[in-house]
């Protein structure tokens, strides 16, 4: 079925939907096809039919050149969604045909509508680190200052002091890191940068979440 009654709201909606992804009724340049449909439209279109309105104003700008545009005018039913001749009726028959066209267009949109993408899984790791001071006189509270290191994808967790020997304790601190955002080497460099308090750092345990 081609375009039916373009003087009715239903017919104009079909035209608007048809022009959603097109600049012209047929082809890539204005032609007698556009002139034939333009002359069947009853004047300026409402703003809510944005695709048809844009096309209408564009073709209207060719008012003086209409006769020289390429192509040959055909019956209105030759143009439209199915590009076949429209056996235009009246009354109930025409309403049924129009409703069938709208239903077909709606079904096509549903079929081509892309399924929403599932959110990508974020790969994370739990890392337990041993942070060792220089000696037994170290202020262990200051070792906790490594928590001041902040990065997107890094979350600090629990910590505790663990005896090493000779009165020395080490800080065991756990964190959760997003693998794509927080590198192990990068975090080690930032922790050992607290060189006034940190003598060394080792990874005590590592597991994927």
């Amino acid at each position: 079925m081609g375009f039916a009654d373009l003087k009715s709201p239903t017919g104009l909606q079909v035209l608007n939907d048809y022009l959603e992804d097109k600049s012209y009724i047929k082809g890539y340049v204005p032609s007698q096809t556009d002139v034939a449909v333009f002359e069947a439209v009853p004047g300026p279109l409402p703003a809510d039919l944005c695709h048809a309105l844009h096309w209408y104003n564009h073709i209207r700008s060719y008012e003086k050149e209409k006769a020289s545009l390429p192509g040959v005018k055909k019956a209105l039913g030759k143009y439209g969604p199915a590009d076949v001749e429209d056996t235009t009726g009246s009354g109930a028959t025409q309403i049924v045909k129009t409703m069938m066209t709208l239903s077909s267009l709606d079904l096509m949109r549903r079929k081509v509508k892309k399924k929403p993408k599932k959110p990508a899984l974020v790969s994370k790791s739990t890392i337990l680190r041993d942070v060792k001071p220089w000696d037994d006189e170290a202020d262990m509270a200051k070792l906790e200052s490594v928590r001041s290191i902040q990065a997107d994808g890094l979350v600090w967790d629990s910590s505790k002091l663990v005896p090493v020997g000779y009165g020395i304790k080490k800080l065991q601190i756990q964190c959760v890191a997003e693998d794509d955002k927080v590198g192990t080497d990068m975090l080690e460099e930032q922790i050992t940068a607290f060189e006034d308090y940190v003598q060394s750092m080792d990874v005590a345990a590592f597991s994927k979440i």
Side-chain angles (χ1 to χ4, degrees):
M1 175 180 175
F3 293 122
D5 183 8
L6 292 180
K7 293 181 173 58
S8 70
T10 301
L12 291 176
Q13 185 63 55
V14 172
L15 175 63
N16 186 69
D17 292 344
Y18 180 77
L19 290 167
E20 183 176 359
D21 58 352
K22 299 176 180 64
S23 297
Y24 303 99
I25 300 300
K26 192 172 184 179
Y28 302 97
V29 295
S31 66
Q32 293 301 320
T33 300
D34 297 279
V35 174
V37 178
F38 176 88
E39 291 176 348
V41 173
L45 301 173
D48 60 327
L49 300 176
C50 56
H51 306 300
L53 178 60
H54 177 79
W55 166 84
Y56 182 92
N57 290 335
H58 180 57
I59 299 304
R60 186 170 60 179
S61 69
Y62 287 90
E63 183 67 28
K64 294 181 180 179
E65 296 89 9
K66 281 197 302 185
S68 62
L69 293 178
V72 178
K73 287 185 184 178
K74 298 180 182 179
L76 189 62
K78 288 286 187 179
Y79 314 119
D83 200 25
V84 297
E85 183 156 6
D86 175 38
T87 54
T88 304
S90 60
T93 301
Q94 185 58 34
I95 292 174
V96 170
K97 289 182 178 180
T98 302
M99 290 178 65
M100 290 176 63
T101 299
L102 292 175
S103 297
S104 297
L105 291 173
D106 183 58
L107 181 61
M108 289 173 62
R109 288 196 196 96
R110 292 183 182 181
K111 287 183 177 180
V112 300
K113 187 177 181 181
K114 294 182 179 179
K115 294 181 179 180
K117 293 183 178 179
K118 293 182 179 180
L121 294 176
V122 178
S123 178
K124 297 181 180 181
S125 299
T126 297
I127 308 170
L128 182 64
R129 299 175 183 273
D130 286 344
V131 182
K132 299 174 183 177
W134 286 101
D135 52 40
D136 59 345
E137 296 181 356
D139 186 346
M140 300 305 291
K142 290 184 177 179
L143 282 184
E144 286 275 355
S145 60
V146 298
R147 289 182 179 273
S148 63
I149 298 172
Q150 296 183 354
D152 185 24
L154 173 66
V155 178
W156 291 104
D157 203 342
S158 59
S159 64
K160 65 180 179 179
L161 297 178
V162 179
V164 177
Y166 304 101
I168 300 176
K169 295 181 180 180
K170 63 182 178 182
L171 173 69
Q172 271 197 346
I173 186 168
Q174 185 168 278
C175 69
V176 176
E178 292 185 23
D179 296 341
D180 292 339
K181 295 180 180 180
V182 183
T184 302
D185 293 340
M186 177 271 289
L187 194 54
E188 180 177 351
E189 289 177 3
Q190 293 191 37
I191 291 175
T192 55
F194 290 87
E195 55 187 13
D196 290 340
Y197 318 118
V198 178
Q199 185 265 333
S200 64
M201 189 222 74
D202 298 306
V203 175
F206 181 95
S207 62
K208 291 286 187 181
I209 299 178

